[in-house]
Amino acid sequence: QVQLAESGGGLVQAGDSLRLSCAASGRTLSTYAVGWFRQAPGKERKFVAGISWTGSSTYYTDSVKGRFTISRDNAKKMVYLQMNSLKPEDTAVYYCNRNPFLAWGQGTQVTVSS
């Protein structure tokens, strides 16, 4: 059954913003660090941002620092990725997952036009 579900993607223009959401069932994300990853067509899946289970520590790949913000609401069993100042190179399918990893879900498509 589905344990992680990404949503919030879409087609936007460069400079626009999107907020991605990662919804978890039951205990799926409880007490686990969570990360956002992305995969562009023909490319490998790459780490984008991560957050500790308490939300006290966050990590970002260099290309998104200052533009993306990861956050979580454990009471709602949700993890978010606020993406500002989007660039065409941000175009990819975005996935969330925990550490340790579960099976990958379907992700949500983000397309940024020039």
Side-chain angles (χ1 to χ4, degrees), residues 1 4 7 21 49 53 61 84 92:
Q1 63 181 347
L4 297 170
S7 63
S21 297
W53 78 271
T61 192
N84 298 327

Side-chain angles (χ1 to χ4, degrees), residues 56-99:
S56 62
S57 299
T58 58
Y59 304 89
Y60 301 92
T61 192
D62 286 345
S63 63
V64 309
K65 288 180 179 177
R67 300 188 299 119
F68 291 10
T69 303
I70 187 171
S71 62
R72 69 190 300 166
D73 185 336
N74 288 341
K76 295 182 178 179
K77 300 182 176 68
M78 298 285 288
V79 179
Y80 307 99
L81 185 67
Q82 178 67 46
M83 306 186 296
N84 298 327
S85 303
L86 283 163
K87 303 176 179 180
E89 51 261 47
D90 296 319
T91 295
V93 177
Y94 284 70
Y95 304 85
C96 64
N97 215 325
R98 73 178 196 189
N99 182 13

Side-chain angles (χ1 to χ4, degrees), residues 31-48:
T31 74
Y32 298 104
V34 175
W36 283 95
F37 305 78
R38 66 188 181 189
Q39 185 171 29
K43 304 292 181 63
E44 296 181 344
R45 200 193 318 267
K46 299 291 187 180
F47 169 81
V48 176

